[in-house]
Amino acid sequence: MDYIIFDLEWNQSSSGEERDRDGNALPFEIIEIGAVKLNENRDMISEFSELIKPQIYHEMHYITSKLIHLQMEELEKGKPFVEVMQRFLEWCGDDCIFCTWGPLDLLELQRNMKYYGMEPLSDRPIRYYDVQKLFSIAYEDKKSRRSLEYAIDVLNIRKDIPFHRAFSDAYYTAEVFDKIEDPDVLELFSYDTFNLPQTKDKEIHVRFHDYDKYISRRFDDKNQLLNDKEIMSVHCYRCGKNLKKKVKWISPNGKHYYAIAYCFRHGYVKSKLRIKKSEDGGVYAVKTDKCISSEEVKILREKYNAMKEMKKQKKEEKK
């Protein structure tokens, strides 16, 4: 299996109103693809770099121009997106895993492919490496999301080509990826959800070294999702047993929900449920179940009680 570390540069409308002749909108039009291919030993074995001729935005957004130092005259010499994308996919090969700095590039790649009527990369969520996240887990606090140049400086990697072009950022992302050696960190794949599971049997269930992750199929609305038994259940991360809740689902904002349950073999389990919008206007769930200590339970109970009290006060104020 090869690793495809890629980066995109894209342009956008300065007004947010531009559309193609058929009235279709594409928020970010890809204008450059850069990538490096690593073999299973993470040795660099091939490179890819191409400019894409704009079809929608024929003026460079001022932020884009400032960052990547590309002029429209240069882009006009590029090839159409579909032609470049076909060559890119052929270059990637059939047995590969994508790696990016952050979650946006894979998302925007698929949006552009859909816009141009290309076949999707997959009919379900795509497993990939978010190297930005892996860097934070391996070298920082697991939550921060730093710039690529920051990571290069922390790891004392030589800066031998300029930043903020697709190929150079892919090259530097590969350099950071090569520095991550902890096998536990390399187990932490991310999942792009541009294409959701179509049916219940294709939903994503994955176990990492200290938590479970579940990605649901699409639902029409939030109420339909919240009435699904599997989504609203809590399982023990270690044995998979369905657990009785000690603290029932509560939400501070209507998007994130939390619950606590207890397993007689493995202790307390915290479940976190995030409700997200799908590309077509529906909703889906991303849920994680994780074992926690009794000390963490105490802190969470205090937070939950504070949330309940706050909701109670708001209801009374409305009366």
Side-chain angles (χ1 to χ4, degrees), residues 70-246:
L70 261 177
Q71 302 300 318
M72 272 294 167
E73 292 76 13
E74 295 176 74
L75 293 177
E76 290 296 334
K77 299 175 184 177
K79 301 296 183 182
F81 175 82
V82 173
E83 184 179 332
V84 173
M85 192 64 204
Q86 287 171 341
R87 283 204 294 271
F88 176 61
L89 293 176
E90 184 178 348
W91 174 81
C92 289
D94 296 328
D95 188 17
C96 68
I97 183 165
F98 291 117
C99 309
T100 59
W101 189 262
L104 295 181
D105 289 84
L106 191 51
L107 170 65
E108 295 304 334
L109 186 72
Q110 293 176 95
R111 278 182 177 160
N112 276 249
M113 291 176 68
K114 183 177 181 180
Y115 177 87
Y116 286 105
M118 298 185 71
E119 288 293 319
L121 293 175
S122 175
D123 64 351
R124 65 193 69 189
I126 297 173
R127 189 179 73 158
Y128 73 104
Y129 275 129
D130 178 347
V131 181
Q132 184 186 49
K133 182 182 78 172
L134 298 186
F135 169 78
S136 179
I137 295 169
Y139 294 101
E140 299 218 294
D141 61 0
K142 302 183 180 182
K143 296 181 180 179
S144 300
R145 295 295 180 262
R146 303 289 192 173
S147 70
L148 179 56
E149 189 166 6
Y150 174 92
I152 293 296
D153 289 337
V154 167
L155 298 175
N156 295 314
I157 296 171
R158 181 181 175 183
K159 300 177 184 178
D160 45 12
I161 52 176
F163 285 84
H164 305 304
R165 286 293 297 270
F167 175 77
S168 60
D169 285 2
Y171 169 81
Y172 284 125
T173 300
E175 290 288 296
V176 175
F177 182 56
D178 188 50
K179 297 290 185 182
I180 299 171
E181 299 179 350
D182 187 336
D184 287 340
V185 175
L186 292 172
E187 285 184 4
L188 300 176
F189 292 98
S190 295
Y191 285 84
D192 173 83
T193 53
F194 182 82
N195 288 307
L196 291 168
Q198 298 298 307
T199 56
K200 187 175 180 62
D201 63 304
K202 291 185 178 179
E203 292 179 328
I204 302 297
H205 296 267
V206 58
R207 174 170 293 182
F208 297 108
H209 66 272
D210 62 352
Y211 70 98
D212 277 341
K213 187 171 188 175
Y214 163 69
I215 301 173
S216 79
R217 64 198 183 280
R218 177 196 179 280
F219 291 84
D220 291 333
D221 54 50
K222 187 171 77 170
N223 287 335
Q224 187 184 49
L225 182 151
L226 293 175
N227 283 319
D228 185 85
K229 289 183 179 180
E230 182 170 8
I231 289 175
M232 303 312 291
S233 63
V234 178
H235 296 86
C236 176
Y237 152 73
R238 292 181 178 173
C239 64
K241 185 178 179 182
N242 192 14
L243 305 176
K244 184 177 180 180
K245 300 177 191 70
K246 294 293 184 180

